[in-house]
Amino acid sequence: MEPILKAVSLLKRYGDVTAVNNISFEIHRGEIFGFLGPNGAGKTTTIKMMSGLLKPDNGKIIINCENHGKSIGICPQHIVIWENLTCLEQIRFMGKMYNMKPASIKVKGEELLEVLGLTGARNRLAKKLSGGMQRRLNIALALIHSPEIVFLDEPQAGLDPQSRVMVRDYIRSIKEKTTVVLTTHDMEEAEKLSDRICIIDKGKLLVTGTRDELKRMSGYEDVIEIEVLCDVSRELAPFLRPELISDMSVSGNIVSFRVRDPQPALMEILAAVRKQDLKIISLQLRKTSLEDIFINMTGRSIRE
């Protein structure tokens, strides 16, 4: 796929602290790119360099857009709005800052108010909005000029479940026209939204790829757990091919299989169960989550 942004050997120091340590990656046009890491990993510094707010000490950012200033949108982690302007006034003001025509501001503004659930609050002062509505307004301001690439830093922080679904659906809907760089500590949201994921820690790039690619690289596997009325180690294990089942553990009548590819492994297990005419009490598949991978790569210690 065509890269819309390339980071090449990025380096940024603050005194004796190396915040970003010689990292390189590509972001493809039309994708949602999850940019993840613990607190202090270097995410914010990298995003500032990617968006042009901070100059790297070494390396470079290559952006494949016609007009960098107008082609980038930023929704910061901390809400930035004007408390004494209404939702509609803020959208109009931001549109004018990007030299948009009034007719274009009106059309795009109405669309954003509608899809982000702010139509009823269009004439309400920002300081009288709930925290979730302010967050959604902040997202609207980042997207009013239809940027080619938008940086969303914790866009769903503080949102109720309904608002989270609304924002998630809208982010998905715009990715063909607007490449999305998403940072979040919510691994479930990152997993649901991201086409590819980059994990950094202590200023270093750990891994980049799809969820399945990250799972293979991390060594994590899915788990199939089955409960049957028999001595599973004697009745079941001899009929399973080791190339499909990497590990098996037994606790009473419950057996857990670690598998690299769950579909053929599950078919193999069920075939063995039928062949032995065993009674299944329960069966479940626990897929390796992005949180499993993230913790495995970055550790369990709390970062300040």
Side-chain angles (χ1 to χ4, degrees), residues 142-161:
L143 293 168
I144 182 60
H145 59 301
S146 301
E148 291 187 57
I149 181 169
V150 64
F151 297 92
L152 301 179
D153 195 352
E154 296 285 354
Q156 296 173 316
L159 297 182
D160 59 37

Side-chain angles (χ1 to χ4, degrees), residues 195-211:
D195 298 304
R196 288 193 308 130
I197 296 159
C198 169
I199 299 177
I200 68 169
D201 193 19
K202 299 176 182 177
K204 295 182 179 181
L205 179 69
L206 300 184
V207 67
T208 302
T210 66
R211 175 195 171 278

Side-chain angles (χ1 to χ4, degrees), residues 10 28 41 43 128 132 173 204 214 232 248 252 300:
L10 288 184
H28 301 158
K43 299 189 303 298
K128 295 184 178 181
S173 74
K204 295 182 179 181
L214 265 57
V232 291
M248 183 182 79
R300 294 180 176 271

